[in-house]
Amino acid sequence: MIDTWQSLLLGFQVALQPENLGLALAGALLGTIVGVLPGIGPIGGIAILLPLTFRLPPASAMIMLTAVYYGTMYGGSTTSILMNVPGEASSVVTSFDGYAMARQGRAGPALAVAAVGSFIAGTLSILALTFFSPLVANWGLTFGPPEYFGLMLFGLSAVSSLAGDSLIKALLSMGFGLMLATVGTDLVTGVPRFTFGIPYLLDGIDFVVVVIGLFAISEVLASVEDTGELRFPVKLERIWLSVRDFAESFWAIIRGSVIGFYIGILPAAGATIASFLSYSVEKQLARDPSTFGRGDIRGVAAPESANNAAAVGNMIPMLTLGIPGSSTTALMMGALLVLNVFPGPTLFKEHPDVVWGLVASMYVSNLVLLILNLPLVGLFVRILYIPERLLLPLILSICVIGTYAVNFSAFDLLTMTALGLVAYAMRKNDFPLGPAILGLVLGDLMEQNLRRALIMSRGSIDIFFTRPVTAVLIVLSVLSLFTPVLLALLRRRRANEGHPRTMA
Amino acid sequence: MTAERGPVARTLQRGGRSDRFAAVIIFILSALYTRYAVTFQPRFFRSEALGPATFPLMIGGLMLICSTILFIQSLGKVTAGQGTRWAQYVPALVLWLLLLGYSITFDLLGFPVSTGLFLLGALWLLGVRPWWKAVFYALAFTIAAWYVFTTLDVRLPRGEWFRR
C-alpha cells in the first residue's frame, strides 16, 4: 500500500512538471477541438495527433496522449448533446436525453452534468486503478508465454465478437490487421516477409502510417458525402449545474462510475457497453421511466460517467498485461510500443515514471478538462459552425504532414493513401475497423509468445491445454465467438414472441 | 437527419451483392497471401518449432475460411431494390485521387506547391466558390502550416525540382 502511495507521488512529480502540465493542457485543448470537429472522430483525431508526441520523452508523450484522449471524449459528448451527432458509439446514448434537453433549452445543464459526471467518474476510477493495477501486474508476473498467447487470443476474439453486426466481418477485419503486422523482417529468423523486394517494407509498416490511413483518411472520405448538409447546433446559454440538478444526478453518476469501471476492465466490453448498460440501469431504477429519452438529466449523467470510468478501466489490462481492450487503448499501446516502452507486468518495475506519470496525469487531465471546458464550451461550439467542405481538405493535409514527419518518407504517404481507400471500402461495407487495429498491435506479440510457448513445450501444442490459466483463456476465446450467435438467436426468439424491445 | 444513420437504411444498404463481391476479393487476396507465405524458409536453422511461415499461414487460413463463410452468408441475403448507387461514391473517390496525387508529388514538388495545388483542387471539389475564396484558403493554410511546422522543427520538403 505504502509503495503505491510513494509511486503515485512519483507520478505526480512527473505530471506536475511545468513542461508536462503544459502538454496536458495543450493535449486536452487539442483533443477537445478534434473531438468537436465534424468529419473526424476521436480515434482518427488521436491518430492525427500521434506524430506530435514522438519527439517527446515517453512519460511526456503518454501524458499528452492521455489528455488528448480525454479531450476527444469530452468533445464527442458535446456534439452529441448539442447536435445529436455522436462522435463515437460510446456517446450515442448521451444523445438520447442530452439532445432532448438541449432542445428544451437545457443544453447548459446537460453539458455541465456531462463534465461534472465525467470528472467524478474519472477521479473515482483512477483511484481504483491506482490500487488495482499493481495487483493485476503482480498476478501477471506469474504468466509465461502460453498464458500471454491465451490472453491475446481472448482479447482478439472478445473484441471481434462485439464489434459491429457481423462476426465474420469483424474476424476478417482482425485478420487484415494481423496480416499487416506480419509485413517486414521476421525477428527470429531474419526472413523478409511480404516485402515484395521493396526495401522500405523490411522494417514493417509503421504503426502511425496504418492508423492515420485506416482511421483518419477513411473517416474524411466517408464524411465527404455529408458536406452538403449543415447541421446547426441549438442555442446555448450559461453552462451551469444547479444544486437541484446535481442532487438529482448524483447517484446516477456514482452508479455509472462503478458500472463503467468494471465493464471497462473486461476486454472488448468497453465504453459503449458501459454507457448503454448504465443508462438502462438508471431507467429501470427510476420511479417514472417514461421521462427517459425526453430530457432526463440522469440519462446524460449515467452514460457520460460510465464511458469515462470505462476508459480508465480499459487502461488496466493494457498497462498491466499488455492486452488492449478497445481500439483506443490499442492505439495508446501502439504509441507506447513506438516509444520502445512495452506494456505488461514488468512495465511497473522498468518504467515507473511512465506508468505513474500517466496515472497522475489522468487526475490532472480530468481537472484541466473541467476547468477548461465549462468556460470554453462556447468557443468549441463555434468550431461546429465551420463548414466541413473547408475542414476536410485541411484535415487531409495535416494527415499527410503527420505521416511524412514519422520517417520523412514519401513511401509512407503512398501506404497511408492506399490504406485509406481500403478502410473507406471497409466502412462502406460495414466492416468494423476496431479489430484491425487490435490485430495490428497484437500480431507481433502474439507470434512471439506462440513461438516461445512452443519452444518451451518442444513443439507440442499440449502446452495450451495443460496449463490451467491458458486452457481457461482458450475456452473463453472460443465461447466469446459464440456470444453474438447466441444473442442473435435470443433476439429472434424475442421478436417472434411479439415483444419488440426498445434500444435501452 | 441523414438517410444513412437509421437502422432501416442500414439493412437496406448491406446488400448481399456487395458482401459477395467483398468475399471474393478477400478470398483471392488471402489466397495470394497464403501462397506467398509458403515460400518463407528459415535461412539458418530448421529445428525451430515455428518457422517464419507458420503464423502467416494460420492467418491466411483464417481469412480463407471466413471469406468463404461470408460468401455463403451473402447468398441468403437480398440486395436492396435500388442497387448500389455508384454516383454517391464519386466525390470521395475523386478526393482520394487528389490525395494520391498529393502523396506522389509531395517530395517532388515540395510541400508548398503540392499542398497549395491539393487544397485548391479539394476545396473546389467540395464546393467552395467563388474561385478566389478557394485560392485564399489554400494559400492561407499552406503558409500557416509551413510556418508552424518548420518552427516545430519538422523538415518539410522544399521540392526536388527546386533544389537545383
Side-chain angles (χ1 to χ4, degrees):
Chain A
M1 195 64 119
I2 294 168
D3 272 5
T4 310
W5 281 115
Q6 274 175 350
S7 317
L8 192 60
L9 214 62
L10 166 84
F12 272 106
Q13 276 171 9
V14 177
L16 291 177
Q17 279 166 13
E19 195 189 298
N20 290 341
L21 207 57
L23 287 172
L25 249 168
L29 192 67
L30 278 173
T32 313
I33 293 175
V34 165
V36 171
L37 279 184
I40 191 101
I43 300 180
I46 300 175
I48 294 180
L49 296 175
L50 265 180
L52 278 183
T53 60
F54 287 163
R55 285 146 188 267
L56 301 169
S60 308
M62 278 323 281
I63 287 172
M64 185 168 183
L65 275 180
T66 317
V68 168
Y69 179 26
Y70 271 47
T72 53
M73 285 209 313
Y74 191 81
S77 34
T78 306
T79 54
S80 185
I81 290 170
L82 292 179
M83 295 162 72
N84 202 16
V85 180
E88 57 179 333
S90 63
S91 49
V92 168
V93 197
T94 308
S95 66
F96 297 169
D97 281 274
Y99 187 60
M101 280 179 79
R103 282 186 23 190
Q104 293 159 12
R106 289 180 22 94
L111 286 168
V113 84
V116 172
S118 303
F119 175 73
I120 295 176
T123 311
L124 284 179
S125 45
I126 296 161
L127 267 175
L129 173 134
T130 308
F131 294 99
F132 222 58
S133 35
L135 298 178
V136 184
N138 276 338
W139 182 54
L141 282 174
T142 60
F143 284 9
E147 280 80 15
Y148 273 110
F149 178 76
L151 262 178
M152 288 170 191
L153 196 69
F154 178 52
L156 282 178
S157 60
V159 167
S160 303
S161 71
L162 291 172
D165 300 332
S166 153
L167 171 67
I168 290 298
K169 286 185 178 178
L171 286 175
L172 285 168
S173 171
M174 178 194 86
F176 176 57
L178 290 170
M179 279 175 154
L180 290 178
T182 54
V183 174
T185 310
D186 176 32
L187 292 175
V188 177
T189 55
V191 174
R193 299 194 291 190
F194 308 105
T195 54
F196 302 95
I198 302 168
Y200 291 107
L201 287 177
L202 285 175
D203 287 336
I205 306 174
D206 202 284
F207 175 72
V208 182
V209 177
V210 179
V211 174
I212 293 186
L214 284 189
F215 285 95
I217 302 285
S218 71
E219 212 160 336
V220 172
L221 292 178
S223 44
V224 164
E225 291 153 29
D226 290 342
T227 50
E229 155 203 22
L230 279 178
R231 301 183 196 88
F232 285 104
V234 289
K235 281 238 157 53
L236 190 65
E237 32 23 299
R238 212 159 61 107
I239 315 277
W240 193 251
L241 195 62
S242 68
V243 178
R244 203 176 134 250
D245 282 338
F246 182 67
E248 199 180 337
S249 45
F250 181 74
W251 287 109
I253 293 174
I254 301 295
R255 281 188 289 265
S257 311
V258 176
I259 294 174
F261 182 74
Y262 283 105
I263 297 280
I265 298 177
L266 304 173
T272 310
I273 294 183
S275 62
F276 270 98
L277 190 67
S278 67
Y279 184 85
S280 68
V281 164
E282 288 311 313
K283 200 173 164 180
Q284 271 158 19
L285 288 178
R287 245 175 253 149
D288 178 14
S290 69
T291 54
F292 278 78
R294 295 182 187 166
D296 193 310
I297 196 161
R298 287 167 295 177
V300 180
E304 278 302 298
S305 313
N307 75 31
N308 211 293
V312 179
N314 251 319
M315 293 276 186
I316 293 181
M318 191 271 268
L319 290 173
T320 56
L321 301 172
I323 311 294
S326 67
S327 349
T328 330
T329 36
L331 203 68
M332 306 277 266
M333 181 165 156
L336 279 174
L337 293 175
V338 173
L339 295 162
N340 269 329
V341 175
F342 295 90
T346 51
L347 180 69
F348 286 72
K349 292 221 162 59
E350 285 166 7
H351 293 280
D353 58 323
V354 176
V355 179
W356 294 106
L358 182 114
V359 173
S361 78
M362 287 180 179
Y363 288 100
V364 177
S365 307
N366 242 323
L367 196 65
V368 164
L369 274 172
L370 189 71
I371 298 170
L372 201 73
N373 279 324
L374 291 184
L376 285 186
V377 82
L379 188 78
F380 296 136
V381 170
R382 292 266 165 85
I383 298 171
L384 295 173
Y385 285 102
I386 305 177
E388 283 194 11
R389 55 176 186 273
L390 285 185
L391 277 175
L392 298 181
L394 306 190
I395 294 173
L396 284 180
S397 183
I398 292 173
C399 290
V400 166
I401 299 170
T403 304
Y404 187 79
V406 178
N407 295 317
F408 300 103
S409 141
F411 186 79
D412 282 349
L413 292 182
L414 290 175
T415 314
M416 171 203 79
T417 310
L419 287 172
L421 188 68
V422 173
Y424 174 68
M426 286 170 72
R427 267 175 205 275
K428 286 285 136 194
N429 289 296
D430 292 322
F431 282 83
L433 290 169
I437 209 71
L438 218 67
L440 175 74
V441 172
L442 289 183
D444 259 354
L445 296 168
M446 222 174 147
E447 185 175 15
Q448 280 172 33
N449 282 297
L450 180 64
R451 275 182 160 153
R452 283 191 205 129
L454 288 176
I455 289 170
M456 277 169 70
S457 71
R458 299 198 182 135
S460 155
I461 58 163
D462 288 353
I463 194 166
F464 295 111
F465 302 101
T466 48
R467 292 168 72 112
V469 177
T470 319
V472 168
L473 285 167
I474 287 179
V475 170
L476 280 177
S477 313
V478 176
L479 280 182
S480 70
L481 289 182
F482 286 103
T483 326
V485 182
L486 286 175
L487 284 178
L489 278 178
L490 268 177
R491 222 174 282 154
R492 199 172 296 165
R493 206 161 175 200
R494 229 178 244 160
N496 285 344
E497 282 167 10
H499 294 296
R501 300 266 296 197
T502 44
M503 275 275 264
Chain B
M1 189 70 195
T2 40
E4 262 179 50
R5 293 191 205 272
V8 181
R10 278 176 72 101
T11 28
L12 277 181
Q13 222 181 33
R14 242 182 294 121
R17 202 184 303 156
S18 60
D19 275 6
R20 215 167 305 148
F21 186 64
V24 172
I25 301 257
I26 297 169
F27 188 90
I28 294 173
L29 291 178
S30 310
L32 290 174
Y33 175 93
T34 313
R35 176 72 194 78
Y36 197 165
V38 176
T39 62
F40 303 146
Q41 290 295 328
R43 264 177 273 179
F44 308 110
F45 37 95
R46 279 192 186 158
S47 58
E48 173 75 25
L50 198 68
T54 318
F55 193 63
L57 286 177
M58 287 164 68
I59 303 170
L62 172 87
M63 295 294 276
L64 289 172
I65 294 171
C66 286
S67 55
T68 311
I69 297 177
L70 183 65
F71 185 83
I72 297 169
Q73 280 181 347
S74 74
L75 294 177
K77 270 188 197 165
V78 189
T79 307
Q82 316 101 310
T84 323
R85 283 159 300 169
W86 279 96
Q88 81 183 80
Y89 303 127
V90 169
L93 292 177
V94 176
L95 185 62
W96 182 81
L97 283 175
L98 283 174
L99 180 69
L100 181 67
Y102 185 24
S103 302
I104 293 170
T105 55
F106 197 73
D107 250 354
L108 291 174
L109 296 179
F111 172 81
V113 178
S114 62
T115 306
L117 287 176
F118 166 74
L119 288 179
L120 194 62
L123 289 166
W124 182 262
L125 173 76
L126 296 182
V128 177
R129 303 281 186 281
W131 64 269
W132 55 264
K133 263 196 183 165
V135 173
F136 170 77
Y137 287 123
L139 269 179
F141 178 80
T142 309
I143 294 168
W146 178 262
Y147 178 76
V148 170
F149 285 98
T150 42
T151 319
L152 284 175
D153 213 21
V154 175
R155 285 178 292 127
L156 293 172
R158 284 158 183 276
E160 304 268 333
W161 289 359
F162 302 101
R163 204 167 278 165
R164 276 160 263 165

